[in-house]
Amino acid sequence: MNAFKRRKLRDAVLFSVPGFLIFTIFMLLPIFLSFYYSFTNWSGGDVTFIGLKNFREMFTSSEYHIAIKNTFFFVALSLFVKVPIAAVLAFLLYRTVRGYKVFRTVIFLPVIIAPIAIGMMFSILLNADIGPVGQFFRNIGLKQFDIVWLSNPKYVLWAVCIPQIWSNIGLHVTLFLAGMQSVSEDVIESAKIDGATSGIIFRKIMLPLITEISQVSIIMTITGALKSFGIPWAMTTGGPGNASTFFSILMFTKAFEESRFGYASAVSIMILFYGMMFTVAFKWIYKKLLGD
């Protein structure tokens, strides 16, 4: 190896070390520590190794089953509602000539608002006594739609899922829009000359050309739904009962309200496991559908 190659290798290593250290300290190390503490009974004092007891207790508890049902419901709702709507909105923005920047800003604006602030805002909007949503339906004579959203276990899950979709959809619109803008205008113009309508251009041309962006959006949707915390916590703190409890809320309550850090670590490991499982399964299905 000559001096030039050695210098290039040295520079590459030096520039990689800071990123590697940051990734190790703030990503890998916490994962390994969580994995270790998940096998212990730790409440902030002495650490006692208890094997799989935390996992056995978690898998047999009703609150875990409710959390997994709620989380998977939100994952499915996000995939089949948020992602398609984001793709359609991105295409509409792509075809917009007047007011493009205004519409793009308005759609993206909720993304930069803190989840706690959004949760507080929707908890006021949906309040059964003073909320303007219920008041609106009462005023127009549709009292059957004046629902106690945040206190009724039948409706509370919808009440906390919809604000999360609304708050995050702008990010996915931006992803799809970036992918669509990278498509050559010649392709679109050729399709228009051949008589293709906007719907055909969207379904037959645009979506197949941005499959990589779609994959990123779907993976981000899955992992984001599994980590759902801020908005439902601000709106209901997981209640009534455990009706709106997600994995992250269960982990938080076990760690910081019950001081069961070992049990909370076991929940965090399951969040990581489900995230990896969904991501691997999705990529496998995607490859099969594309015939790779």
Side-chain angles (χ1 to χ4, degrees):
M1 184 181 294
N2 57 40
F4 176 73
K5 289 185 176 180
R6 284 199 301 269
R7 187 164 60 251
K8 283 188 65 176
L9 178 62
R10 182 198 62 192
D11 293 342
V13 171
L14 289 176
F15 279 106
S16 300
V17 166
F20 176 77
L21 288 177
I22 292 173
F23 180 77
T24 302
I25 294 172
F26 294 103
M27 292 292 293
L28 293 181
L29 185 60
I31 291 174
F32 287 129
L33 288 175
S34 294
F35 188 78
Y36 166 71
Y37 286 123
S38 66
F39 297 103
T40 66
N41 180 20
W42 181 41
S43 300
D46 295 333
V47 179
T48 305
F49 184 80
I50 58 173
L52 296 173
K53 186 176 179 180
N54 285 327
F55 290 95
R56 285 198 298 267
E57 180 184 349
M58 179 174 59
F59 292 147
T60 56
S61 67
S62 60
E63 57 186 359
Y64 173 77
H65 293 145
I66 294 173
I68 195 173
K69 176 180 71 69
N70 292 344
T71 304
F72 286 1
F73 172 80
F74 182 47
V75 170
L77 190 66
S78 298
L79 285 175
F80 295 109
V81 175
K82 181 174 68 177
V83 175
I85 291 177
V88 172
L89 287 176
F91 185 70
L92 293 175
L93 273 177
Y94 174 77
R95 299 299 298 270
T96 299
V97 177
R98 293 184 178 181
Y100 164 78
K101 292 184 178 180
V102 174
F103 291 128
R104 184 183 61 181
T105 302
V106 170
I107 292 174
F108 189 77
L109 188 61
V111 178
I112 64 175
I113 303 176
I116 295 296
I118 292 175
M120 294 296 292
M121 178 181 70
F122 274 92
S123 65
I124 295 172
L125 290 174
L126 299 176
N127 186 280
D129 298 320
I130 64 172
V133 174
Q135 188 65 44
F136 170 76
F137 287 120
R138 288 193 294 270
N139 289 340
I140 64 175
L142 297 176
K143 292 186 178 180
Q144 64 270 28
F145 293 104
D146 181 17
I147 300 171
V148 184
W149 291 99
L150 302 181
S151 301
N152 192 326
K154 188 186 297 184
Y155 304 111
V156 68
L157 191 58
W158 289 94
V160 299
C161 287
I162 291 174
Q164 295 181 85
I165 291 175
W166 171 80
S167 68
N168 197 244
I169 197 169
L171 176 61
H172 295 268
V173 170
T174 304
L175 284 173
F176 280 112
L177 183 59
M180 292 176 184
Q181 289 175 335
S182 67
V183 175
S184 174
E185 281 290 336
D186 295 337
V187 176
I188 306 301
E189 290 301 325
S190 298
K192 289 179 181 178
I193 293 172
D194 291 337
T197 62
S198 294
I200 293 176
I201 292 173
F202 176 67
R203 297 192 313 271
K204 303 291 187 178
I205 299 174
M206 193 63 76
L207 289 182
L209 291 176
I210 59 168
T211 53
E212 292 184 357
I213 296 296
S214 300
Q215 290 186 58
V216 172
S217 176
I218 291 172
I219 291 173
M220 289 180 64
T221 295
I222 292 171
T223 55
L226 289 172
K227 298 185 296 182
S228 171
F229 177 76
I231 292 176
W233 179 259
M235 293 180 69
T236 62
T237 63
N242 293 312
S244 60
T245 295
F246 297 95
F247 279 142
S248 296
I249 292 179
L250 178 63
M251 179 182 67
F252 182 87
T253 54
K254 292 299 179 182
F256 300 106
E257 292 186 358
E258 301 180 18
S259 296
R260 299 187 63 187
F261 300 109
Y263 189 100
S265 297
V267 177
S268 71
I269 293 301
M270 293 311 301
I271 296 174
L272 177 64
F273 169 76
Y274 287 125
M276 295 174 61
M277 181 187 71
F278 276 121
T279 302
V280 172
F282 162 73
K283 292 184 76 67
W284 181 81
I285 293 172
Y286 217 90
K287 286 183 178 181
K288 290 294 182 181
L289 291 176
L290 294 178
D292 292 343

